[in-house]
Amino acid sequence: MHEQVVINSIEFARNGETLSGSVAVEDLGRLRDLLFSGEGKLDYTLTGRRGGNGKLFLKCAAKGMLQLKCQRCLDVLPYPVSFESDLELIEGGQEATGAVNEEELTDAVKADPNMDVLALVEEEVLLGLPMAPMHAPEDCKADRNFGQAKLDEQHVFSALAALKTQDHRN
Ligand SMILES: [Zn+2]
């Protein structure tokens, strides 16, 4: 288990606080499960901000390199992470209105007096990952096999088509 980093998100945003740190990728369990290896670390910065109408925001930024798994050849695929997301804090009592605040085009996150910072960073990283990461065709080890499988498939289809044509004739 990794060390927990906890903030009172409401106070943090209200006071315009900033928190920076880094976390080993290995320690982010949900993310780690999707990766080729847990090598590397992510640097993150969390910044609180008070917006108009008493709204509170957290800006979550992270940078680092992840070792994703190519979905075609299952080999390592280095993937640079670099993002900044602006999150509106939604008070616990309010009805959760889905993930997106339509007016300001920011995502929302539930205000929490004991917010797990690393879990938040992990969640934001997960949201930004490609669904099916793959090497560029020229870099992918499986590319030749993949092309061959396509050809075989076509072969089967044309064989089936030929059978159907024969049926028609009979
Ligand atoms: Zn690949």
Side-chain angles (χ1 to χ4, degrees), residues 144-162:
R144 209 187 288 169
N145 298 335
F146 188 71
Q148 189 59 48
K150 275 276 179 208
L151 279 180
D152 289 348
E153 206 172 280
Q154 276 172 10
H155 198 74
V156 169
F157 277 124
S158 39
L160 280 174

Side-chain angles (χ1 to χ4, degrees), residues 3-164:
E3 202 182 327
Q4 275 216 322
V5 184
V6 175
I7 58 166
N8 179 332
S9 57
I10 299 164
E11 290 298 310
F12 189 90
R14 205 171 269 155
N15 300 331
E17 292 178 47
T18 298
L19 173 73
S20 291
S22 67
V23 57
V25 173
E26 193 70 58
D27 289 339
L28 301 173
R30 287 170 62 208
L31 179 62
R32 174 64 185 90
D33 286 349
L34 303 174
L35 302 177
F36 183 84
S37 86
E39 198 183 301
K41 66 182 173 67
L42 292 171
D43 297 317
Y44 63 85
T45 301
L46 210 63
T47 313
R49 171 168 73 84
R50 206 190 323 205
N53 304 328
K55 288 181 176 177
L56 296 173
F57 295 89
L58 284 181
K59 189 166 75 183
C60 176
K63 259 192 179 137
M65 186 68 95
L66 295 177
Q67 309 297 320
L68 296 187
K69 196 190 291 178
C70 170
Q71 295 304 295
R72 208 149 60 185
C73 68
L74 304 181
D75 205 351
V76 61
L77 171 61
Y79 180 81
V81 166
S82 178
F83 67 84
E84 247 187 40
S85 38
D86 220 9
L87 305 166
E88 183 183 348
L89 284 180
I90 304 289
E91 300 279 353
Q94 274 176 258
E95 190 73 17
T97 51
V100 178
N101 174 342
E102 303 274 345
E103 278 171 37
E104 305 197 17
L105 290 174
T106 51
D107 290 333
V109 64
K110 205 172 154 194
D112 187 343
N114 298 298
M115 179 177 274
D116 182 340
V117 172
L118 298 180
L120 177 70
V121 170
E122 181 174 30
E123 180 67 28
E124 292 302 308
V125 172
L126 286 169
L127 286 173
L129 288 186
M131 293 283 283
M134 282 183 218
H135 290 117
E138 62 271 25
D139 297 333
C140 191
K141 286 181 187 170
D143 195 48
R144 209 187 288 169
N145 298 335
F146 188 71
Q148 189 59 48
K150 275 276 179 208
L151 279 180
D152 289 348
E153 206 172 280
Q154 276 172 10
H155 198 74
V156 169
F157 277 124
S158 39
L160 280 174
L163 280 176
K164 277 193 179 163

